[in-house]
Amino acid sequence: MLQVLYSGDTREIELSGTREGLLAFGQLLRGEAGSCDLSENQRPFPYERSLSGIVFQEDPEQAGVSIVTEGQILRIRGGREALDLLADNVDGFTSEADTSDHGHVDSPTYDFIAPESDPLVIAFIEWAESCRPHRS
């Protein structure tokens, strides 16, 4: 399970998921191109909205990774080495972090992230928030 939340005010993106979902996303980034649908969060607070999908593509002409929101889609594009570094960061966070932790992956902190990228936060989905029973 993965979700992406977005704040227009800060341009911050939160990629969150279960441990299995985040590890699968890291593996997906290691391919040449791909996409995945996201779980919708009806209450994205403190973010403004929940995105519907991620599309990524390897671009040999681009050195860094560009991470931007276009409409309801998160677009990730970059050179192979930079995409692998992003995947390593996702995998490292997912494997080592406590479920209450979050990690920031942004420019200029990480030189493999393109300067035009939106700030990215990686986090675990809180079980209580993501699995509420539906009430009629």
Side-chain angles (χ1 to χ4, degrees):
M1 173 182 220
L2 285 176
Q3 70 179 9
V4 174
L5 306 178
Y6 179 73
S7 173
D9 292 341
T10 63
R11 293 182 34 227
E12 185 174 87
I13 299 164
E14 180 184 272
L15 167 67
S16 55
T18 60
R19 196 170 300 273
E20 295 79 18
L22 289 170
L23 287 171
F25 177 71
Q27 284 301 105
L28 188 68
L29 285 174
R30 296 183 194 287
E32 290 180 16
S35 64
C36 64
D37 294 327
L38 299 169
S39 297
E40 183 180 0
N41 184 326
Q42 296 293 327
R43 295 183 230 180
F45 184 81
Y47 295 88
E48 293 170 11
R49 61 190 162 113
S50 183
L51 303 185
S52 61
I54 299 174
V55 175
F56 78 93
Q57 180 178 4
E58 181 179 342
D59 181 353
E61 302 292 319
Q62 189 173 339
V65 173
S66 171
I67 304 168
V68 296
T69 301
E70 294 178 2
Q72 287 298 107
I73 302 295
L74 176 62
R75 295 206 180 271
I76 301 173
R77 187 170 159 228
R80 172 54 27 215
E81 184 177 331
L83 286 170
D84 287 345
L85 286 169
L86 178 58
D88 289 347
N89 274 268
V90 171
D91 291 349
F93 170 81
T94 305
S95 298
E96 298 170 13
D98 185 65
T99 55
S100 63
D101 291 340
H102 69 276
H104 294 262
V105 181
D106 52 23
S107 174
T109 306
Y110 292 92
D111 60 359
F112 65 90
I113 302 294
E116 71 272 8
S117 292
D118 294 335
L120 177 67
V121 174
I122 303 169
F124 291 104
I125 287 178
E126 293 183 32
W127 181 257
E129 290 299 315
S130 63
C131 297
R132 294 180 187 264
H134 295 314
R135 298 186 186 186
S136 303

